[in-house]
Amino acid sequence: MVLWLSGHDHGGHYAKIGTRHHLTLKGMQNNADSWYQIDFSPDRITVYQAENLATPRYELEMHWPPKTAATEAAR
């Protein structure tokens, strides 16, 4: 999996296209509480918004190399 990270869109946006996560961060223009905490680990990226640090906004599973039918069959 790959993460494409960008900012900003006034409301924020997430989409998964194929094996790629696309995350656009919510804009901070009028609200100082619109920041993010992004935690990286070998198998996942966890995204928290300032409004709620107790519950992740996104939990994105990451795999390298990307999973394919061939690599899954080999396991």
Side-chain angles (χ1 to χ4, degrees):
M1 295 282 177
V2 175
L3 172 65
W4 181 274
L5 180 64
S6 64
H8 80 268
D9 176 25
H10 291 273
H13 184 72
Y14 169 79
K16 185 173 179 188
I17 301 171
T19 61
R20 185 178 301 140
H21 298 284
H22 293 259
L23 179 59
T24 303
L25 302 178
K26 180 179 169 183
M28 298 187 293
Q29 67 282 354
N30 294 323
N31 188 350
D33 289 338
S34 294
W35 52 269
Y36 291 82
Q37 173 179 315
I38 303 174
D39 297 335
F40 296 88
S41 69
D43 64 344
R44 88 179 42 252
I45 296 174
T46 307
V47 181
Y48 299 89
Q49 280 186 273
E51 295 89 356
N52 183 358
L53 293 177
T55 305
R57 173 80 175 162
Y58 301 103
E59 290 188 272
L60 311 174
E61 290 186 26
M62 305 303 288
H63 306 282
W64 194 258
K67 286 184 178 181
T68 65
T71 60
E72 287 301 302
R75 289 183 175 206

